[in-house]
């Protein structure tokens, strides 16, 4: 097994070739890798069955198993994601600014590859394809470290990509995956700043906190999602129920799922029974304040519930006196990922948009749209909840950097 230093060196070497590839060749690689997924779907699904069986044997269940599981449809989504990235404009070489100084120097600011990007993520094997595809399009080599629960699936997927690269005459080390999923190896990767230019963690709060605290490599922090839906006094309540159900139960294990429901007191008497019934019919446990506890089956909420990302069929719910209290609670408990107001009042909508400080803020739409594919970026590499460099869904452009190119005619500084 290669050492992390050898893996880093191989990635750095491969990144040189990749950074010079024209868009047409990168697109051909992506389309060939999509075909590779389809042609080897049995290999991928067999590996995934073993991963899922092993996880269940260890007592893992619920939304975690859903995140881990691949189906023919999900593998097809992975393949289509690569093809969608291939269709995107190539960001590399884009001239962002150009100006001529009084001394005749011409200065251009160009978009260039980051170099080597490391991804540390948990049990979502689709991330393997998404991360590889976006990084390749952005001209950067990739070192992947997935969770132990998805190791067989991830190894099978990366093997397909590496075989495609090799068969096409490219350096297969444009993508590598760590076979050692131990915490010790992950921490070594976090300190590989000699070779890795950017590190992106994707997963739960514990993983992200560990990477942020221990990494010597620059990190883009992808956030956990304690996402809120606030139902205003001027909301269309039927619409609010539709949005709430989509945001909570379509895929409860993902970071853009709704975890907290806030309801204006003026509509609470009507909306609480509607929302509680709809959620419970979808097997969602409601943990509520005193007003919600009047409904059968609602569990009393604790202080901890208001700030929890459940990633499961659980939601916290409470009544607020007005929009300002809703905004204040979001400020207090939000992870700054995605928040939504349901209202027909334009003033209330604008107030919410202006005062809620999250990466994505919605009016009358499900938080489940916080996704690179849904935003038209192709697949995404994560949702950034920080404020430096990139924020929100990170597509191809968000994982590039820039450099200045200066043309002169013999100028010297006086």
């Amino acid at each position: 097994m290669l050492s992390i230093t050898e893996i880093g060196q191989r990635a750095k070497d491969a990144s040189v070739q990749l950074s010079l590839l024209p868009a047409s060749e990168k697109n051909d690689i992506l389309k060939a890798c999509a075909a590779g997924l389809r042609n080897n779907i049995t290999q991928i699904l067999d590996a995934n069955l073993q991963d899922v069986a092993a996880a269940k044997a260890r007592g893992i269940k619920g939304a975690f198993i859903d995140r881990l599981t691949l189906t023919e449809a999900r593998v097809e989504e992975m393949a289509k994601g690569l093809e969608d990235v291939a269709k995107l404009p190539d960001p590399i070489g884009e001239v962002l600014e150009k100006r001529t100084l009084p001394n005749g120097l011409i200065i251009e600011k160009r978009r260039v590859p980051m170099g080597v990007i490391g991804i540390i993520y948990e049990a979502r094997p689709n991330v393997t394809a998404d991360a590889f595809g976006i990084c390749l399009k952005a001209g950067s080599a990739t070192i992947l470290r997935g969770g132990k629960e998805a190791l067989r699936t991830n190894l099978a997927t990366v093997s397909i990509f590496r075989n495609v690269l090799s068969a096409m005459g490219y350096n297969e080390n444009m993508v590598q995956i760590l076979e050692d999923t131990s915490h010790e190896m992950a921490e070594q990767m976090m300190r590989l700043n000699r070779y890795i230019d950017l590190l992106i963690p994707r997963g739960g709060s514990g993983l992200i906190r560990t990477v942020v605290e221990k990494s010597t490599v620059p990190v883009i922090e992808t956030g956990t999602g304690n996402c809120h839906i606030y139902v205003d006094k001027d909301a269309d309540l039927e619409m609010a129920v539709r949005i709430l159900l989509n945001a909570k139960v379509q895929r409860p294990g993902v970071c853009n799922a709704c975890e907290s429901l806030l309801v204006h007191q003026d509509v609470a008497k009507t909306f609480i029974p509607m929302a509680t019934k709809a959620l419970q019919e979808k097997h969602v446990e409601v943990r509520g304040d005193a007003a919600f506890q009047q409904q059968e089956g609602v569990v009393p909420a604790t202080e901890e519930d208001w700030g929890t990302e459940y990633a499961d069929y659980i939601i916290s719910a409470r009544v607020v006196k007005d929009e300002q209290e809703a905004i204040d609670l979001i400020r207090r408990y939000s992870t700054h990922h995605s928040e939504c107001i349901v209202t027909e009042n334009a003033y209330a909508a604008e107030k919410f948009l202006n005062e809620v400080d999250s990466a994505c803020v919605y009016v009358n739409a499900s938080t489940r749209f916080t996704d690179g594919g849904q935003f038209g970026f192709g697949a995404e590499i994560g949702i950034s909840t920080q404020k430096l460099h990139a924020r929100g869904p990170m597509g191809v452009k968000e994982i590039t950097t820039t450099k200045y190119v200066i043309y002169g005619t013999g100028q010297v500084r006086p």
Side-chain angles (χ1 to χ4, degrees), residues 40-53 70 75 152-153 156:
N40 294 278
I41 191 168
T42 300
Q43 174 187 339
I44 296 170
L45 294 181
D46 285 349
N48 187 249
L49 281 173
Q50 295 178 58
D51 283 333
V52 171
L70 289 182
V75 175
R152 298 175 185 87
T153 311

Side-chain angles (χ1 to χ4, degrees), residues 230-241:
Y230 164 57
V231 180
D232 186 48
K233 65 182 178 64
D234 296 314
D236 178 328
L237 299 186
E238 295 289 344
M239 176 197 293
V241 170

Side-chain angles (χ1 to χ4, degrees), residues 228 230 262 306 318 320-334 336 351-352 355-357:
H228 294 74
Y230 164 57
L262 307 175
W306 309 127
R318 67 196 292 173
V320 295
K321 65 180 180 181
D322 55 23
E323 181 182 15
Q324 188 60 54
E325 184 180 5
I327 292 171
D328 291 343
L329 286 169
I330 291 171
R331 285 175 178 161
R332 180 175 178 182
Y333 296 108
S334 170
H336 308 290
K351 177 179 173 65
F352 192 85
E355 298 187 21
V356 171
D357 184 21

Side-chain angles (χ1 to χ4, degrees), residues 287-301:
R287 298 182 182 179
D289 65 358
F292 272 88
Q293 288 170 41
Q294 295 177 27
Q295 304 299 307
E296 184 177 353
V298 172
V299 176

Side-chain angles (χ1 to χ4, degrees), residues 216-327:
T216 60
V217 178
V219 175
I220 290 183
E221 183 176 350
T222 60
T224 51
N226 182 24
C227 304
H228 294 74
I229 289 179
Y230 164 57
V231 180
D232 186 48
K233 65 182 178 64
D234 296 314
D236 178 328
L237 299 186
E238 295 289 344
M239 176 197 293
V241 170
R242 291 197 305 273
I243 290 172
L244 175 63
L245 288 181
N246 180 263
K248 179 68 245 184
V249 305
Q250 188 196 44
R251 288 199 71 183
V254 295
C255 63
N256 57 22
C258 174
E259 304 287 21
S260 298
L261 171 63
L262 307 175
V263 180
H264 194 291
Q265 62 182 2
D266 289 2
V267 295
K269 184 176 181 180
T270 301
F271 187 71
I272 287 176
M274 293 171 61
T276 303
K277 180 175 184 292
L279 288 165
Q280 290 176 339
E281 285 178 349
K282 297 295 184 179
H283 311 292
V284 176
E285 177 184 300
V286 180
R287 298 182 182 179
D289 65 358
F292 272 88
Q293 288 170 41
Q294 295 177 27
Q295 304 299 307
E296 184 177 353
V298 172
V299 176
T302 66
E303 175 63 24
E304 184 180 3
D305 283 310
W306 309 127
T308 297
E309 180 190 32
Y310 300 107
D312 205 345
Y313 288 89
I314 306 170
I315 193 170
S316 64
R318 67 196 292 173
V319 172
V320 295
K321 65 180 180 181
D322 55 23
E323 181 182 15
Q324 188 60 54
E325 184 180 5
I327 292 171

Side-chain angles (χ1 to χ4, degrees), residues 26-27 30 81-82 84-92 94 111-114 117 130-140 198 372 376-382 389-390 393-401:
K26 290 187 289 186
N27 294 341
L30 290 168
L82 293 176
D84 288 344
V85 172
K87 296 174 185 176
L88 295 173
D90 192 333
I92 303 305
E94 178 185 1
R111 195 182 297 279
V112 297
M114 191 71 67
I117 298 177
D130 291 351
F132 162 71
I134 292 176
C135 288
L136 186 130
K137 183 76 178 213
S140 288
L198 174 67
F377 302 159
E380 72 179 27
I381 205 162
H389 175 62
M394 293 187 294
V396 173
K397 287 186 177 182
E398 285 71 28
I399 57 168
T400 61
T401 186

Side-chain angles (χ1 to χ4, degrees), residues 181 208 301 380 411:
T181 60
I208 294 168
E380 72 179 27
Q411 290 92 334

